[in-house]
Amino acid sequence: MELRLKRAEQPLTTAWSELAIAPRGSTILGISFRPRQVEALGLEGPATLQTLLAFPFDMIRLGAYWNRLEPRAGTFDTAELDWQLDAAEHAGKQVILAVGAVKTFGYPEFFAPSHYLEKPLREGSLIEPDVYPVLLAGATELIARLVTRYRDRRSIVAWQLEHEAVDPLGIEHSWRLSVSFVERELLALLAADASRPVLMNGFLPTSSIVQLTQWWRTRDQGDSLDLAARLADIVGIDYYPRHAMRRLGRRTMYLETGDLPWERARRERLFASVRARGKRLMVSEGQAEPWEAVTVPPNPERQASYSCPPEQLIRNYDTAIAWSAPGAALHAYLFWGAEYWVMRDRAGDPSYLQAFGRILEQA
């Protein structure tokens, strides 16, 4: 069964302390850092990042949020990104920098400033270069500007282009960037720096319903994982095996991976295609925080959310690390939800941070 009706709030247990930790081999472990999520959770940015950087992981993914960099025409302020990079470098971390431009990881994923949108993005349409030339010009200029500014930083080991580049924007918007739009952005990035690999990521469906829906919505030009396998040097998988659909009274309907034969076949075809092209495969987002039927993950006192209690953080990692093949280990696994762990810790529940610590110590 892939559909489950459960209470969203579950007892908080110590199961996370007893689960076996799969060895990571050569896979790099790390996190993503989302300043917008930090704000939504009521935390303070530098203090939250310093708390996380104290853990002995190797890689962190940082994002450039276009509407924060350029809130008004003629302005360009990189102060927020500068202090994040400085802190990561001081802690000795490798950095993947997501340069956007239109989409960047973290809700609401769309961060284009309004002054580049000479007309609304039409729902159900492809965002083509010749239809939105102002948006494309702004996006390519931003990418070139960011890459040029930061390309001398040795801590940056890869650039990320867009976020789930040609997929629809969740369930809230049905417009999609066209392949040709993203290809133009890629040319701008490579013109500024061709020495580093480019990461592109996509959402990996873990249920039949999501797989069918994604295929239908992207059938004209393929989904973001298909595009990443063709264009990128590193293919990033966004892996969420359990998430809420809708709250129904005191219970919530969840979609949960059934790992059915056709789901495994899709995953194995993708992995084989990436490896046959000589490209690296990584988990760019491994679910490690709840995905409930609300925008901001809940913080139930002395309870855990069904979609991702602390032990699920470990189970998701164990499942994904098994995708490594002989001579072709996952390049990296980035845990998604680190800001949530800090919020829980400050609310009296250190178990998410402790589960992460166990993996770093024992993997």
Side-chain angles (χ1 to χ4, degrees), residues 113-124:
S114 59
H115 54 274
Y116 285 106
L117 298 171
E118 74 277 22
K119 54 186 173 182
L121 303 181
R122 186 166 58 85
E123 297 298 338

Side-chain angles (χ1 to χ4, degrees), residues 10 27 61 63 69 95 105 119 137 153 199 246 301 327:
Q10 298 283 321
T27 301
R61 183 173 59 149
L69 294 163
V95 176
F105 61 84
K119 54 186 173 182
R153 295 223 184 196
L199 163 69
R246 179 172 296 184
E301 187 176 2

Side-chain angles (χ1 to χ4, degrees), residues 29-30 65 94 102 155 159 183 231 256 262 264 276 278 355 361:
L29 301 183
Y65 298 89
Q94 300 175 41
V102 178
S155 61
W159 310 107
E183 288 174 335
L231 298 185
E256 188 164 348
W262 49 91
R264 289 196 300 273
E361 179 182 345

Side-chain angles (χ1 to χ4, degrees), residues 252-266:
T252 299
M253 182 67 72
Y254 293 91
L255 271 175
E256 188 164 348
T257 181
D259 201 28
L260 299 172
W262 49 91
E263 295 164 10
R264 289 196 300 273
R266 154 71 166 141

